[in-house]
Amino acid sequence: MGKIIGVISLKGGVGKTSVVAALGDAVASFGKKVLLIDGNLSAPNLGLHFNIVDPETSLHHVLDRKVRASEAITPLEKFDIMPASLFEKTNSSPLKLKDRIGHLKEKYDMIIIDSSPALDDETLGAMLASDEILVVTTPDHPTLSNTIMAIKLARQRGTPIIGLVLNKVYKKDFELSIDEIENVTDVPVMAVIPHDVDILKALSHFESSTSYRPNSKGSEEFRRLAALLLGEKYRPPIVKKFWMWVSPERQEINRQVFYESAFD
């Protein structure tokens, strides 16, 4: 039986959809069967990341029971995707998402849902359909305030929060530190993804950033996060082991603590 991971943020522009694409690719690199679902029904973007502009069938059709869930899945090279439609409207509530896709856990090792960047039923539907939640944020005050709201909503609905993905990090003094973010949210940072122009280049090539530039710092962070979600020990390349700092970074410590509590 697979697991459904919801990736949420209540603020646009944090790179949530790029995180979903990269994480899905990273999970698939462990030999797992992965499905990405675009739960952003009103302004879908996930399909566009892979040059799927006008799918014949989509999540909209699944919610309206016009097609079975399996008929709305597009197979890609490394994983599958269930896009939403830019041109369709659904008459069904997004809160029915769990009922429509739950059975797919029998077919996939992991399903990752990209949610709406707003406090609406689309986000709530993604939360309710998920077994666990990852919250994407950036290290600035406006985004942090929305992150706090997302965490509060997930906790009210009883969906376990794995942790935060800190995205688009410049490592500058003007950014909020990991300590500040964790102290305010009371949620551990599980991955830190550096700002990288190659992520935009990957988008122009209709690829995930982990596929486009597999040896980048961000790609390795996604593979480490993927291993954690799968309950597997990540073994970095020998060269990276040799040059690794003696003192592990905060997110590495958080991942180890989570692994020991969840899988050991």
Side-chain angles (χ1 to χ4, degrees), residues 6-26:
V7 180
I8 68 170
S9 173
L10 298 186
K11 185 177 183 298
V14 301
K16 174 175 53 61
T17 303
S18 295
V19 166
V20 169
L23 182 58
D25 183 272

Side-chain angles (χ1 to χ4, degrees), residues 2-6 105 126-133 158-160:
K3 179 165 58 176
I4 300 179
I5 303 292
K105 291 199 290 184
M127 286 184 177
L128 295 176
S130 300
D131 298 309
E132 296 173 319
I133 292 289
T159 308

Side-chain angles (χ1 to χ4, degrees), residues 2-259:
K3 179 165 58 176
I4 300 179
I5 303 292
V7 180
I8 68 170
S9 173
L10 298 186
K11 185 177 183 298
V14 301
K16 174 175 53 61
T17 303
S18 295
V19 166
V20 169
L23 182 58
D25 183 272
V27 173
S29 72
F30 286 84
K32 304 300 182 181
K33 191 166 179 59
V34 179
L35 172 66
L36 307 184
I37 295 179
D38 195 342
N40 186 358
L41 297 165
S42 54
N45 284 287
L46 187 59
L48 299 178
H49 278 59
F50 301 101
N51 202 24
I52 302 173
V53 179
D54 187 14
E56 184 175 343
T57 56
S58 69
L59 179 58
H60 286 81
H61 299 99
V62 175
L63 288 173
D64 287 339
R65 291 193 179 277
K66 294 179 179 178
V67 300
R68 295 190 296 269
S70 60
E71 296 176 298
I73 294 173
T74 299
L76 300 179
E77 182 180 354
K78 297 181 179 180
F79 47 79
D80 295 345
I81 180 172
M82 183 187 292
S85 175
L86 288 165
F87 309 107
E88 293 281 343
K89 299 295 182 184
T90 178
N91 295 316
S92 299
S93 169
L95 301 180
K96 296 181 179 179
L97 179 62
K98 181 177 182 178
D99 293 335
R100 301 291 193 267
I101 68 168
H103 66 283
L104 294 175
K105 291 199 290 184
E106 299 177 3
K107 181 179 179 182
Y108 291 94
D109 297 302
M110 187 169 293
I111 299 171
I112 305 176
I113 303 176
D114 185 25
S115 66
S116 165
L119 186 57
D120 55 18
D121 280 352
E122 294 176 23
T123 297
L124 182 55
M127 286 184 177
L128 295 176
S130 300
D131 298 309
E132 296 173 319
I133 292 289
L134 282 170
V135 183
V136 181
T137 188
T138 49
D140 57 85
H141 286 97
T143 304
L144 182 60
S145 64
N146 286 274
T147 300
I148 293 169
M149 292 174 59
I151 292 168
K152 180 180 179 181
L153 180 61
R155 285 173 171 163
Q156 287 175 342
R157 300 302 171 182
T159 308
I161 302 171
I162 298 170
L164 302 176
V165 177
L166 192 57
N167 199 31
K168 297 185 178 182
V169 177
Y170 287 87
K171 290 193 174 180
K172 299 294 184 181
D173 291 341
F174 58 76
E175 294 178 307
L176 294 171
S177 68
I178 292 179
D179 278 344
E180 291 172 318
I181 292 169
E182 290 186 340
N183 287 339
V184 171
T185 63
D186 195 29
V187 175
V189 171
M190 290 297 182
V192 176
I193 312 301
H195 173 78
D196 190 346
V197 70
D198 279 335
I199 294 176
L200 294 176
K201 291 181 181 178
L203 182 57
S204 72
H205 288 270
F206 303 111
E207 293 183 61
S208 69
S209 59
T210 41
S211 178
Y212 181 76
R213 195 180 171 206
N215 296 321
S216 70
K217 168 68 173 175
S219 293
E220 180 157 337
E221 276 288 278
F222 279 119
R223 287 192 293 271
R224 289 176 181 273
L225 178 59
L228 178 71
L229 298 178
L230 293 167
E232 298 189 9
K233 288 284 189 180
Y234 178 70
R235 295 174 175 82
I238 294 175
V239 174
K240 289 186 179 292
K241 283 184 181 179
F242 181 78
W243 291 106
M244 191 178 294
W245 286 18
V246 175
S247 298
E249 296 178 292
R250 170 66 70 81
Q251 68 270 23
E252 185 62 33
I253 296 172
N254 289 340
R255 288 191 290 258
Q256 183 63 31
V257 170
F258 182 89
Y259 181 89

